Amino acid sequence: MSRRGGGSMPRPGAVRILGGRWRGRRLATPEGARPTQGRVREALFSHWGDRVAGSRLLELYAGSGAISFEALSRGAGFALAIDRSSRAQACMEANRETLGTDRVRLVRALLPGAFGKVVTGEAAFDLVFIDPPYDDSGPAEFLGTVSAVVVDGGEIVLEHSARRTPPTAAGRFRLRLSRPYGDSALAIYA
């Protein structure tokens, strides 16, 4: 979920966790955010299936951290959620406290510039979800950088505007599937 301007207070209940032990729990979202739609999140987690359990997840442009908290609800071992917005950071902290989990690290950082500093010292990730602003001029180079912190056999998923064609590669990963969901689409790299 990416943040887009707006007010300063988190909005409770705009997004619900769809599965796992916290199913039905509401997450606060930053004002002005474009939350990843429920059907898109359901498709993502249906695709990932059993791979989520015990995984290390990286969520970039995290907004409320909905993908991270959904993954943790479904048994992920750890999540790192990064967003530049102080409103997003406040929402993620509120959501972490509400759910009572310490398996998520929340980082406020400007992407893609600060990415290398943030992930230095982190173990590699199994699953990555990237939801940059839809008007981003091209995530291809950043996808290549991200691929360096993903384990062999891991996967990168890019949410993007259905009106744009996703890059054909993410570093050593290749585009395997791109599926539209209304105005959004998921590009899956493996």
Side-chain angles (χ1 to χ4, degrees), residues 72-134:
L72 293 170
S73 180
R74 294 172 185 242
F78 173 79
L80 172 58
I82 304 170
D83 198 287
R84 72 176 182 190
S85 163
S86 60
R87 290 184 301 273
Q89 188 72 23
C91 281
M92 290 190 290
E93 288 172 0
N95 291 332
R96 177 174 61 188
E97 185 175 317
T98 296
L99 297 172
T101 184
D102 62 356
R103 294 180 298 138
V104 61
R105 179 176 164 223
L106 309 174
V107 176
R108 182 175 175 213
L110 182 61
L111 296 172
F115 180 74
K117 271 194 224 176
V118 171
V119 298
T120 298
E122 284 285 344
F125 295 91
D126 304 293
L127 304 170
V128 178
F129 183 77
I130 307 173
D131 185 9
Y134 279 7

Side-chain angles (χ1 to χ4, degrees), residues 34 36 40-41 43-45 47-48 51 58 67 127-132 134 138-140 143 146 150 154-171 173-190:
R34 172 191 44 82
T36 296
V40 176
R41 284 185 291 122
L44 172 67
F45 283 95
H47 169 76
W48 277 344
R51 296 179 67 186
L58 174 61
I67 300 299
L127 304 170
V128 178
F129 183 77
I130 307 173
D131 185 9
Y134 279 7
L143 284 169
V146 171
V150 181
E155 196 166 77
I156 299 171
V157 177
L158 170 69
E159 182 176 343
H160 62 95
S161 169
R163 291 182 223 119
R164 290 194 174 202
T165 302
T168 58
F173 295 86
R174 298 290 168 251
L175 180 64
R176 300 291 185 217
L177 174 69
S178 182
R179 182 164 290 151
Y181 300 90
D183 291 338
S184 300
L186 293 179
I188 298 169
Y189 298 87

